[in-house]
Amino acid sequence: MEITTKRKTDRRIEKTKQSLQAAFVSLIQKKTYDSITISELTEVANIDRRTFYLHYSCIDDVAKEMQAIARNMILTKMQECNDCRIGTFIDCITEVIDNKQDFYRVIFTEPSCAHFISDSVDSLKYCILEINKNSSLDQTRKEYYAEFIANGIIGTYAYWFRQDKASVSLTALTSLLKESISIFDPKFTFL
């Protein structure tokens, strides 16, 4: 009996959080990040303000949780994969971005969201280091390589989103990212 109650609670919590996240994406497309209020967010999500505070303390927490979900999706996909090459990693990132393009378009183009770009770089760097924790490279080298790779990938996606009319599709961008890595070293896998 207890397990059933817990499942119902978990589903309700998940549904509430999904509603708040969807409302956040909707609002961030209409106004700047800094101007979104909790009252607006809860109104669009059709959730009571008190319910919001049961799950989050501020708007930043909603956005950070969305980024953590994306990071965990990438990590999970890479850990399930037997082929941890950079191309596979880029495919995973593209899949995450493709599922929430409206959110990432704002994150990568809205000046008030600039701090999320640096958070995205940190999240990708974490994924790269986590996937390569058994690499034979020394830790300093791993850190610098991961920083370079994460900044390059995030910078390229940000550039793509900043284009008024992107000259390439997201699929084509994914191919370009993979090609750009192989130009430097065709045998490049990961760290």
Side-chain angles (χ1 to χ4, degrees), residues 76-130:
T76 300
K77 286 177 185 290
M78 289 306 292
Q79 288 169 343
E80 291 170 353
C81 181
N82 294 328
D83 180 19
C84 286
R85 295 174 192 250
I86 192 74
T88 308
F89 186 65
I90 291 169
D91 287 337
C92 290
I93 297 165
T94 296
E95 185 178 332
V96 168
I97 287 175
D98 193 31
N99 289 331
K100 293 208 187 299
Q101 277 195 41
D102 294 337
F103 172 70
Y104 287 105
R105 180 171 312 285
V106 174
I107 292 299
F108 286 129
T109 59
E110 172 60 45
S112 65
C113 294
H115 61 287
F116 289 111
I117 292 176
S118 119
D119 291 346
S120 296
V121 169
D122 290 344
S123 289
L124 274 190
K125 183 178 173 184
Y126 171 81
C127 289
I128 292 167
L129 291 171
E130 191 62 27

Side-chain angles (χ1 to χ4, degrees), residues 150-167:
N151 272 287
I153 290 171
I154 292 297
T156 303
Y157 283 111
Y159 176 77
W160 182 76
F161 276 118
R162 285 192 308 268
Q163 305 307 304
D164 284 335
K165 292 184 179 177
S167 58

Side-chain angles (χ1 to χ4, degrees), residues 138-150:
D138 63 81
Q139 192 59 35
T140 301
R141 209 172 232 115
K142 276 196 246 186
E143 292 277 339
Y144 278 97
Y145 286 176
E147 185 75 21
F148 173 75
I149 293 166

Side-chain angles (χ1 to χ4, degrees), residues 6-178:
K6 183 168 176 39
R7 281 189 184 159
K8 284 183 184 176
T9 303
D10 287 347
R11 275 189 241 142
R12 286 184 301 208
I13 290 170
E14 191 59 35
K15 188 175 185 304
T16 299
K17 286 185 171 193
Q18 287 173 352
S19 294
L20 287 165
Q21 291 168 7
F24 176 74
V25 170
S26 173
L27 285 170
I28 205 165
Q29 292 173 33
K30 298 172 188 163
K31 54 193 314 184
T32 64
Y33 175 81
D34 295 336
S35 65
I36 296 172
T37 65
I38 292 171
S39 294
E40 289 174 308
L41 183 65
T42 55
E43 184 178 322
V44 172
N46 198 25
I47 290 170
D48 189 73
R49 275 179 63 94
R50 290 174 294 191
T51 304
F52 174 88
Y53 287 110
L54 290 174
H55 305 288
Y56 304 106
S57 61
C58 60
I59 301 280
D60 282 349
D61 290 348
V62 177
K64 286 178 182 176
E65 183 172 67
M66 290 177 74
Q67 285 188 305
I69 290 167
R71 181 191 68 229
N72 292 337
M73 284 173 60
I74 293 167
L75 261 179
T76 300
K77 286 177 185 290
M78 289 306 292
Q79 288 169 343
E80 291 170 353
C81 181
N82 294 328
D83 180 19
C84 286
R85 295 174 192 250
I86 192 74
T88 308
F89 186 65
I90 291 169
D91 287 337
C92 290
I93 297 165
T94 296
E95 185 178 332
V96 168
I97 287 175
D98 193 31
N99 289 331
K100 293 208 187 299
Q101 277 195 41
D102 294 337
F103 172 70
Y104 287 105
R105 180 171 312 285
V106 174
I107 292 299
F108 286 129
T109 59
E110 172 60 45
S112 65
C113 294
H115 61 287
F116 289 111
I117 292 176
S118 119
D119 291 346
S120 296
V121 169
D122 290 344
S123 289
L124 274 190
K125 183 178 173 184
Y126 171 81
C127 289
I128 292 167
L129 291 171
E130 191 62 27
I131 291 162
N132 292 283
K133 61 185 167 198
N134 297 324
S135 167
S136 60
L137 292 174
D138 63 81
Q139 192 59 35
T140 301
R141 209 172 232 115
K142 276 196 246 186
E143 292 277 339
Y144 278 97
Y145 286 176
E147 185 75 21
F148 173 75
I149 293 166
N151 272 287
I153 290 171
I154 292 297
T156 303
Y157 283 111
Y159 176 77
W160 182 76
F161 276 118
R162 285 192 308 268
Q163 305 307 304
D164 284 335
K165 292 184 179 177
S167 58
V168 297
S169 67
L170 184 56
T171 303
L173 175 67
T174 303
S175 295
L176 283 170
L177 277 165
K178 291 177 190 180

